[in-house]
């Protein structure tokens, strides 16, 4: 007995503490009825939940192969990471993709590529030219409807709608500073124009059903607030009226009182300490004709181009919109089609997985409707939905997109690791969270440069693919320039045959003419003419 007591006395105190804690946890597990695994397997059962918690990380880094994951596989993420850090993003020993897979995109190169003059800003020897990576939009937005302040985006690739609140302050700041460096525009998302959107980049003011920043206390739209906001922020170049988005089309949302800080309340114009409900419908209009009148009123009061953003499902109202635009000569200056692939917006799985069409079907459906009414040359088409990779971007241009917006790819370029925890406020990289500790890991000076590098690389590869296909500008791509693999039957089909239309030809006077446009946006412009 004396030996036992001697042994027990020799055991360190901390071991007794651990044993006591383990016994308490085990008793708690046995007595609780909430979790069967923990009840049946005290202590050990906790490991099951721990492993489940880190399951996505285990699959991402250990289990899944380079081409297996969704929404972005490891190969795609690696290309974005390497591009943003100016590292080697090349690939050796040929492709590791199955080129016979159904739906595989095959871009057709020309036998003789486009010959770039040595004075051209895109010539390989002109790497230090300020316009070396610049691909301006071939269309001037708002010109057809004679807006007072029409706009030609300096870049055909831009930042899609992501609100301050959905993304952290430092993430928004990083994207805006990077956008200023590169020259693209930065969409605010429906959360209002925050101080973090004001670091010099062109801005698109996105306005949803809650009219954040331009509303009264009851949530009704106030025109005077919109006019004052636009006058005080000349960096805002367009207004985007959000009808729905790919992440949760046709669904409203709730901003819990717990998330409404004094800063967010001021930016969005909402009360502190009270939940804010965003309905799925607009209160400023109730039908398509009233929507057109609302668009025209905002354009007249602000002088800015006004467009709409929507996911796509039923087509009756799209047909009505096109009919009324022909009848009245009025309507949106641009249309942003958001694919059902979704984005950073948190949504129920049923909405994210099943409601609204994926981009290729959504875009082709709407494009054909407006083409039938001879409207495609009068408005700008913007596409959004996993287009921040060169081949996918080129396919969108070939289908008729004049501009593409990127969201998650932009997040990846500033450090997102696809943890898929955007809806939890626990984003480990500090990008999609308001947690100040997590956010403090973002250095806007560094991350803005990485976003700039990513945009340069993406533009460079789009330019190189464009030249390889025999063109100067991606607006010249057509539906016959890309084939889609049909699978194992050794057949391919052109985009034209697959989607049943030919893209409307976009007038293109040459890159030089676009760069000399009075309405060209972006940095270091000498001035603009107001019509």
């Amino acid at each position: 007995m004396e030996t036992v007591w001697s042994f027990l006395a020799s055991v360190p105190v901390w071991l007794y503490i651990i044993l006591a804690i383990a016994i308490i946890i085990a008793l708690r597990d046995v007595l609780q009825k909430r979790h069967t695994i923990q009840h049946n397997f005290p202590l050990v059962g906790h490991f099951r939940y721990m492993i489940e918690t880190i399951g996505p990380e285990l699959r991402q880094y250990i289990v899944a192969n380079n081409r297996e994951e969704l929404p972005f596989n490891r190969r795609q993420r690696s290309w974005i990471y390497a591009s943003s850090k100016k590292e080697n993003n090349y690939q050796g020993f040929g492709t590791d993709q199955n080129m016979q897979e159904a739906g595989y995109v095959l871009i057709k190169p020309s036998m003789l590529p486009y010959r770039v003059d040595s004075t051209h800003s895109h010539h390989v020897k002109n790497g230090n030219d300020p316009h070396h990576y610049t691909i301006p939009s071939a269309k001037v937005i708002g010109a057809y409807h004679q807006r007072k302040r029409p706009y030609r985006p300096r870049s055909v690739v831009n930042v899609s709608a992501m609100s301050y609140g959905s993304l952290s302050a430092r993430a928004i700041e990083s994207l805006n500073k990077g956008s200023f460096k590169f020259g693209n525009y930065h969409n605010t998302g429906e959360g209002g124009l925050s101080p973090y959107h004001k670091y010099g980049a062109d801005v698109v003011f996105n306005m949803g059903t809650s009219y954040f920043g331009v509303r009264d206390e009851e949530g009704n739209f106030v025109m005077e607030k919109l006019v004052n906001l636009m006058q005080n922020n000349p960096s805002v170049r367009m207004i985007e009226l959000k009808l729905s988005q790919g992440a949760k089309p046709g669904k409203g949302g709730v901003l819990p009182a717990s998330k409404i800080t004094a800063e967010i309340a001021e930016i969005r114009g909402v009360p502190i300490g009270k939940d804010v409900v965003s309905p799925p419908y607009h209160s400023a209009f109730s039908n398509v004709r009233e929507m057109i009148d609302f668009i025209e009123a905002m354009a007249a009061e602000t002088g800015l181009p006004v467009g709409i953003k929507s996911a796509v499902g039923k087509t009756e109202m799209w047909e009505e919109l096109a009919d009324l635009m022909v009848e009245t000569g009025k309507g949106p200056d641009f249309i942003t089609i958001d694919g059902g692939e979704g984005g950073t917006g948190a949504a129920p799985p049923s909405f994210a997985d099943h409601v609204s069409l994926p981009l290729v079907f959504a875009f082709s459906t709407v494009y054909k409707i407006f083409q039938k009414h001879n409207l495609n040359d009068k408005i700008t088409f913007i596409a959004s939905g996993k287009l921040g990779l060169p081949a996918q971007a080129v396919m969108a241009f070939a289908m008729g997109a004049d501009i593409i917006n990127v969201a998650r790819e932009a997040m990846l370029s500033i450090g997102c690791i696809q943890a898929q925890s955007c809806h939890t406020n626990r984003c480990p990289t500090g990008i999609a969270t308001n947690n100040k500790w997590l956010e403090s890991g973002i250095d806007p000076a560094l991350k803005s440069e990485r976003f700039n590098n990513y945009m340069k690389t993406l533009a460079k590869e789009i330019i190189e693919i464009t030249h390889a296909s025999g063109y100067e500008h991606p607006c010249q791509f057509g539906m016959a320039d890309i084939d889609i693999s049909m699978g194992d039957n050794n057949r391919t089909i052109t985009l034209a045959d697959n989607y049943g239309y030919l893209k409307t030809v976009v007038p293109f006077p040459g890159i030089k003419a676009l760069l000399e446009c009075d309405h060209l946006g972006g940095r270091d412009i000498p001035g603009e003419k107001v019509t």
Side-chain angles (χ1 to χ4, degrees):
M1 192 64 180
E2 193 172 322
T3 306
V4 172
W5 286 114
S6 176
F7 170 75
L8 292 175
S10 67
V11 175
V13 175
W14 59 269
L15 276 179
Y16 284 113
I17 295 173
I18 291 175
L19 181 62
I21 292 172
I23 292 171
I24 292 170
I25 293 174
L27 287 171
R28 175 257 176 202
D29 289 345
V30 170
L31 295 174
Q32 63 85 34
K33 301 296 183 183
R34 217 171 147 190
H35 301 288
T36 304
I37 295 292
Q38 290 179 7
H39 175 273
N40 294 347
F41 302 94
L43 283 179
V44 178
H46 287 273
F47 289 99
R48 182 262 182 193
Y49 297 100
M50 291 170 60
I51 293 171
E52 183 182 48
T53 301
I54 62 171
E57 287 77 12
L58 290 174
R59 289 189 293 273
Q60 185 178 97
Y61 296 110
I62 299 173
V63 179
N65 65 39
N66 284 346
R67 303 288 187 180
E68 198 171 39
E69 298 170 271
L70 289 173
F72 293 91
N73 61 46
R74 187 180 295 138
R75 183 71 187 87
Q76 292 168 332
R77 297 196 311 274
S78 296
W79 182 85
I80 294 173
Y81 294 148
S83 299
S84 67
K85 297 174 185 176
K86 298 180 77 171
E87 295 175 351
N88 186 344
N89 62 5
Y90 280 43
Q91 177 176 315
F93 213 64
T95 182
D96 61 355
Q97 295 206 58
N98 177 13
M99 299 179 73
Q100 279 73 42
E101 179 184 22
Y104 192 86
V105 175
L106 301 162
I107 302 170
K108 300 178 184 178
S110 173
M111 184 177 178
L112 296 174
Y114 177 78
R115 189 182 183 91
V116 184
D117 187 88
S118 61
T119 61
H120 198 292
S121 57
H122 292 168
H123 193 281
V124 66
K125 77 170 189 177
N126 295 327
N128 293 323
D129 188 294
H131 303 304
H132 185 65
Y133 302 100
T134 305
I135 318 173
S137 170
K139 292 179 181 175
V140 177
I141 305 175
Y144 175 74
H145 290 126
Q146 299 181 333
R147 307 304 187 199
K148 292 179 183 177
R149 198 181 176 204
Y151 176 53
R152 186 192 298 276
R154 178 177 288 264
S155 171
V156 294
V157 184
N158 299 277
V159 177
S160 192
M162 294 182 285
S163 305
Y164 167 54
S166 174
L167 265 60
S168 67
R170 292 194 179 195
I172 295 289
E173 179 183 342
S174 299
L175 292 175
N176 195 265
K177 287 181 174 179
S179 296
F180 173 69
K181 292 176 182 179
F182 184 73
N184 59 278
Y185 67 66
H186 184 188
N187 193 307
T188 64
E190 63 179 306
L193 182 66
S194 75
Y196 314 106
H197 290 104
K198 300 178 183 179
Y199 287 95
D202 286 350
V203 170
V204 175
F205 180 70
N206 179 289
M207 187 170 65
T209 58
S210 284
Y211 310 111
F212 289 129
V214 290
R215 54 181 267 155
D216 61 18
E217 292 182 0
E218 283 72 45
N220 299 308
F221 173 76
V222 180
M223 182 67 80
E224 290 154 55
K225 288 189 176 182
L226 177 69
V227 172
N228 290 336
L229 189 68
M230 299 302 101
Q231 288 177 344
N232 294 329
N233 296 279
S235 62
V236 178
R237 301 304 305 269
M238 300 195 298
I239 299 170
E240 184 176 72
L241 180 64
K242 194 203 88 167
L243 306 179
S244 65
Q245 66 186 80
K248 45 184 176 181
K251 188 182 185 307
V254 178
L255 180 63
S258 60
K259 286 189 174 182
I260 303 176
T261 63
E263 182 184 42
I264 288 177
E266 182 180 357
I267 292 167
R268 299 196 179 195
V270 298
I272 297 178
K274 183 179 178 182
D275 290 349
V276 177
V277 178
S278 295
Y281 46 80
H282 279 268
S283 59
F285 54 89
S286 58
N287 56 52
V288 176
R289 190 178 289 273
E290 289 178 1
M291 182 184 74
I292 291 176
D293 292 339
F294 184 56
I295 288 170
E296 290 297 325
M298 288 193 292
E301 291 291 333
T302 64
L304 297 178
V306 180
I308 59 174
K309 171 187 176 177
S310 182
V312 178
K314 297 179 180 179
T315 60
E316 293 87 349
M317 287 188 175
W318 290 103
E319 294 276 4
E320 184 183 356
L321 174 59
D323 285 335
L324 288 172
M325 289 179 69
V326 172
E327 175 191 323
T328 64
K330 300 176 181 179
D333 298 294
F334 65 93
I335 294 175
T336 303
I337 300 298
D338 212 14
E341 293 87 346
T344 60
S350 56
F351 272 80
D353 295 343
H354 299 287
V355 182
S356 85
L357 296 174
L359 177 69
V360 288
F361 303 118
F363 187 89
S364 58
T365 298
V366 173
Y367 191 88
K368 285 190 286 186
I369 290 172
F370 284 82
Q371 188 178 59
K372 181 174 65 177
H373 290 79
N374 296 316
L375 290 168
N376 288 8
D377 59 334
K378 301 171 180 62
I379 54 180
T380 293
F381 284 94
I382 303 174
S384 176
K386 293 180 68 175
L387 299 178
L389 297 157
Q392 284 67 35
V394 167
M395 183 179 71
F397 293 130
M399 293 181 70
D402 301 296
I403 291 169
I404 61 172
N405 287 347
V406 299
R408 287 169 291 182
E409 299 91 326
M411 293 168 59
L412 288 167
S413 74
I414 63 171
C416 169
I417 60 171
Q418 194 172 282
Q420 294 180 276
S421 57
C422 309
H423 59 296
T424 66
N425 203 35
R426 296 193 298 272
C427 170
T429 61
I431 294 172
T433 178
N434 291 318
N435 182 297
K436 294 301 179 185
W437 168 252
L438 295 172
E439 183 187 352
S440 66
I442 298 176
D443 178 6
L446 172 64
K447 299 301 186 180
S448 63
E449 188 57 37
R450 288 192 176 175
F451 173 70
N452 180 36
N453 293 337
Y454 159 68
M455 290 292 280
K456 281 183 175 180
T457 307
L458 178 58
K460 172 179 175 289
E461 294 208 10
I462 291 173
I463 290 169
E464 289 173 346
I465 294 173
T466 301
H467 292 170
S469 300
Y471 304 126
E472 183 184 7
H473 190 284
C475 76
Q476 296 173 286
F477 276 105
M479 299 288 280
D481 290 318
I482 292 180
D483 273 10
I484 302 293
S485 175
M486 299 293 287
D488 293 333
N489 59 3
N490 296 320
R491 289 187 57 214
T492 63
I493 187 172
T494 65
L495 289 177
D497 291 332
N498 196 47
Y499 295 109
Y501 71 97
L502 290 172
K503 171 185 166 183
T504 301
V505 175
V506 179
F508 174 63
I511 290 285
K512 189 171 184 293
L514 303 185
L515 292 171
E516 293 172 351
C517 176
D518 293 326
H519 308 298
L520 184 68
R523 54 181 171 69
D524 67 280
I525 52 174
E528 59 171 318
K529 293 181 181 177
V530 178
T531 56

